Amino acid sequence: MKITTGGEIVVKSLVDQGVRYVFSIIGGQMGTIYDAIGKNPSIDVITPRSEMSTALMACGYTVTTGLPAVAMCTVGAGVVYEVGGLLKAWLDYLPVISIAPQVQSYKMKPNQENLQACEQDLLFSPITKFNAIIYHWERIPQLINRAFREAASGAPGPVHLDIPVDVLFKHRFLTSQRKNRLLPPPHQSRYIGPIPGDAPSLEKACDLLSQAKRPIALIGQGMGRAGRFPQIKACLEKLEIPFLGTRLSAGAFDAEDSFFVGDAGSFANSEAGEKILEQADCLLIVGLDPESQQILKIAQNATMIQVETDPDAMLGQETAVPVFADPESALNRLAEALAQRKGRKPVAWKNKALKTGEAAAQQILKSADERTQTAFELLDGDSLKDCILVADGAPAAIAPAFLKSRKHAGGHVMSQGATAGAGLPFAIGAALGNPDRSVILLCDKESLFHHLRELQPAEELGVGITILCVDKAPGPDDAADLEKVLQGFGCHVHRTGEKISMANVLRHKGQAGAVLV
């Protein structure tokens, strides 16, 4: 028989779910959690310099590894600062788990005046798939297991749990028998496996695709990345129709994928690409997201087939054929059925779409200013083949075209309309989860300065990334000398006027390096 705290139950539940890192700004209300982590060698705390970065680092870690990550901040003020980072997970369909302590349960609902107290569940409600308050010690494992299920199932996304401080610090005697009942294996709380789909909807989708003369597929929601149906590339090759990827799937596909047309946004913004979409007679949508919804407005003449694992994400239009199945199962079934049918494959249409995609990418690359073009030239080489590229700031607008034209997989493009400067903490989280791969942050000076302080904990942890920054020389409007600032954080700094190669810069494992363009 052992005396167990609520914090110990939290940590045991997280470890059972495969959590390796908790990204957290420490607060006294979480003392029992930190005590339990300190006694457990299989889980560690990573402490950034701001609460927003806890969620952003968790985003970078989980999207590049496919493994779960937890962001944890303290009552009130800490949680408020975390919201901006968790917004990134919400907009990019990332299954980040957010956990926060709350004031004592008897002081909640309605809220009693207390230090830093606020309605945390209401704060997170608009940007989470699931959020709950754990009022009782025995419900901790149940609700943590449900949070993981909600985060990863269907269209993925962040979740949030509040745990009152009296629940975290409560002590209970826990026998082995009661522990086994209280902490069931995680696989018992959710289904992990294929969702093959029903035969009638797949048959109808197959009929439409076999009759289509100008089909095109649109892939979103981070499909093809680690932990998010990574075999979808092979499925699309077997299907043999041209496909576009949204920003959320950037880097999952590249020019080596023979049917990959390019980035959906870049393609749709070109005159020739817009005409292709207008001419399409069948649009296969896999993982609907805001960027793919913009494409639907252009491809209004196409009959739509939507593959989705979340019924709530179905379009519900009369012209759409819904296929409730996981993408890999559905695309394999469609490819097998099409292969058995005789019919002319739209080869000319495929070639036209591919040429249009290549032209759109080259047009965007040529439109970049001289400094940005120099930065992309440095990235072109065999030494970068297995790198993780994170693009932020102004270069992010060019990055999807680069990923298409340079045969580079493993790129992640930050949205310009969401959390400013997300790239640096995102890249640090990615480097933490991929110690054997080089991580490059391609950014401009403005985006880099938003979270520059996170280089300090990265240096302490020995997490090395390479920063390729499009910099302006110091002047009246830009007084900060970025080279000196980065050197102050322990970075090896090079300028493009020097004789440098990215292969040499990337050799500084465990230490941040920077190239200023």
Side-chain angles (χ1 to χ4, degrees), residues 296-506:
L296 300 185
K297 297 177 182 178
I298 303 172
Q300 293 184 0
N301 297 323
T303 302
M304 286 175 281
I305 302 168
Q306 186 183 5
V307 177
E308 186 57 76
T309 56
D310 183 0
D312 292 335
M314 292 295 183
L315 286 166
Q317 299 179 11
E318 292 182 4
T319 55
V321 176
V323 177
F324 178 66
D326 75 86
E328 291 174 1
S329 296
L331 295 181
N332 277 328
R333 290 274 299 278
L334 288 173
E336 290 168 4
L338 287 174
Q340 295 172 1
R341 301 189 181 193
K342 293 182 179 180
R344 184 176 60 84
K345 295 180 180 179
V347 177
W349 167 255
K350 182 202 87 167
N351 292 336
K352 183 180 179 181
L354 289 173
K355 287 181 180 179
T356 303
E358 290 170 6
Q362 291 301 320
Q363 182 180 353
I364 289 175
L365 287 172
K366 290 177 182 178
S367 70
D369 59 45
E370 185 179 352
R371 286 190 180 93
T372 305
Q373 286 187 4
T374 301
F376 282 110
E377 287 169 5
L378 285 170
L379 286 171
D380 196 8
D382 291 338
S383 62
L384 307 174
K385 192 163 187 180
D386 196 41
C387 286
I388 295 172
L389 176 67
V390 179
D392 196 12
I398 316 296
F402 167 79
L403 293 168
K404 159 64 179 169
S405 63
R406 297 298 198 278
K407 299 182 180 180
H408 181 88
H412 303 275
V413 182
M414 302 296 104
S415 171
Q416 299 309 290
T419 308
L424 179 57
F426 186 100
I428 292 171
L432 192 67
N434 298 270
D436 297 329
R437 298 178 68 184
S438 296
V439 177
I440 300 174
L441 170 64
L442 173 63
C443 62
D444 57 17
K445 189 172 183 176
E446 183 179 356
S447 63
L448 181 60
F449 264 95
H450 279 284
H451 295 286
L452 192 64
R453 58 192 175 278
E454 302 304 346
L455 282 174
Q456 192 269 329
E459 183 186 17
E460 285 186 359
L461 292 165
V463 177
I465 64 171
T466 297
I467 301 167
L468 183 53
C469 183
V470 180
D471 184 25
K472 292 181 181 179
D477 298 327
D478 189 15
D481 188 329
L482 182 56
E483 183 173 357
K484 291 183 178 178
V485 172
L486 289 172
Q487 287 172 342
F489 281 105
C491 296
H492 292 285
V493 182
H494 307 269
R495 284 196 174 272
T496 49
E498 308 168 13
K499 289 184 178 180
I500 58 170
S501 74
M502 287 300 292
N504 288 331
V505 174
L506 292 172

Side-chain angles (χ1 to χ4, degrees), residues 5-8 10 28-33 73-76 79 99-109 111 114 117-118 120-121 132-140 143 160-171:
T5 66
E8 288 177 295
V10 170
Q29 297 92 338
M30 295 178 283
T32 57
I33 293 176
C73 296
T74 195
V75 175
V79 165
I99 297 176
Q102 245 298 9
V103 297
Q104 293 88 339
S105 53
Y106 66 87
K107 293 183 178 180
M108 298 172 59
K109 304 292 181 184
N111 184 40
N114 202 343
C118 69
Q120 294 174 181
D121 57 322
I133 301 170
I134 304 178
Y135 284 105
H136 197 279
W137 187 86
E138 289 200 6
R139 293 204 70 189
I140 291 173
L143 287 173
H160 178 76
L161 294 173
D162 278 336
I163 312 178
V165 68
D166 53 316
V167 176
L168 285 173
F169 279 80
K170 181 170 285 187
H171 292 67

Side-chain angles (χ1 to χ4, degrees), residues 98-381:
S98 171
I99 297 176
Q102 245 298 9
V103 297
Q104 293 88 339
S105 53
Y106 66 87
K107 293 183 178 180
M108 298 172 59
K109 304 292 181 184
N111 184 40
Q112 178 179 325
E113 187 64 30
N114 202 343
L115 176 65
Q116 298 189 176
C118 69
E119 300 277 8
Q120 294 174 181
D121 57 322
L122 299 182
L123 192 67
F124 281 102
S125 180
I127 58 167
T128 52
K129 282 188 68 184
F130 169 76
N131 108 38
I133 301 170
I134 304 178
Y135 284 105
H136 197 279
W137 187 86
E138 289 200 6
R139 293 204 70 189
I140 291 173
Q142 179 194 84
L143 287 173
I144 286 180
N145 286 349
R146 179 173 175 184
F148 276 82
R149 181 177 74 242
E150 296 283 352
S153 61
V159 298
H160 178 76
L161 294 173
D162 278 336
I163 312 178
V165 68
D166 53 316
V167 176
L168 285 173
F169 279 80
K170 181 170 285 187
H171 292 67
R172 287 287 181 91
F173 286 107
L174 195 63
T175 63
S176 298
Q177 183 179 6
R178 191 179 180 197
K179 181 180 178 182
N180 292 334
R181 180 181 61 79
L182 191 65
L183 292 158
H187 68 266
Q188 292 184 4
S189 65
R190 67 179 188 270
Y191 173 72
I192 301 173
I195 303 173
D198 65 292
S201 62
L202 284 166
E203 184 70 21
K204 189 174 182 180
C206 189
D207 288 340
L208 288 172
L209 280 176
S210 63
Q211 296 167 16
K213 296 180 179 179
R214 298 178 298 279
I216 197 161
L218 186 58
I219 314 300
Q221 281 186 19
M223 299 287 182
R225 290 178 176 171
R228 186 76 174 129
F229 304 111
Q231 301 306 316
I232 196 174
K233 288 160 62 91
C235 303
L236 288 163
E237 290 291 319
K238 287 192 287 185
L239 195 59
E240 295 185 339
I241 66 173
F243 67 92
L244 293 159
T246 70
R247 178 189 62 81
L248 301 185
S249 288
F253 314 106
D254 58 43
E256 292 182 347
D257 297 305
S258 55
F259 288 86
F260 179 48
V261 176
D263 169 62
S266 306
F267 190 82
N269 286 329
S270 70
E271 186 176 345
E274 186 176 1
K275 287 182 180 178
I276 289 282
L277 291 169
E278 289 173 348
Q279 293 169 3
D281 59 2
C282 185
L283 186 64
L284 173 62
I285 307 163
V286 182
L288 186 70
D289 62 35
E291 291 191 16
S292 51
Q293 285 180 319
Q294 295 297 316
I295 302 298
L296 300 185
K297 297 177 182 178
I298 303 172
Q300 293 184 0
N301 297 323
T303 302
M304 286 175 281
I305 302 168
Q306 186 183 5
V307 177
E308 186 57 76
T309 56
D310 183 0
D312 292 335
M314 292 295 183
L315 286 166
Q317 299 179 11
E318 292 182 4
T319 55
V321 176
V323 177
F324 178 66
D326 75 86
E328 291 174 1
S329 296
L331 295 181
N332 277 328
R333 290 274 299 278
L334 288 173
E336 290 168 4
L338 287 174
Q340 295 172 1
R341 301 189 181 193
K342 293 182 179 180
R344 184 176 60 84
K345 295 180 180 179
V347 177
W349 167 255
K350 182 202 87 167
N351 292 336
K352 183 180 179 181
L354 289 173
K355 287 181 180 179
T356 303
E358 290 170 6
Q362 291 301 320
Q363 182 180 353
I364 289 175
L365 287 172
K366 290 177 182 178
S367 70
D369 59 45
E370 185 179 352
R371 286 190 180 93
T372 305
Q373 286 187 4
T374 301
F376 282 110
E377 287 169 5
L378 285 170
L379 286 171
D380 196 8

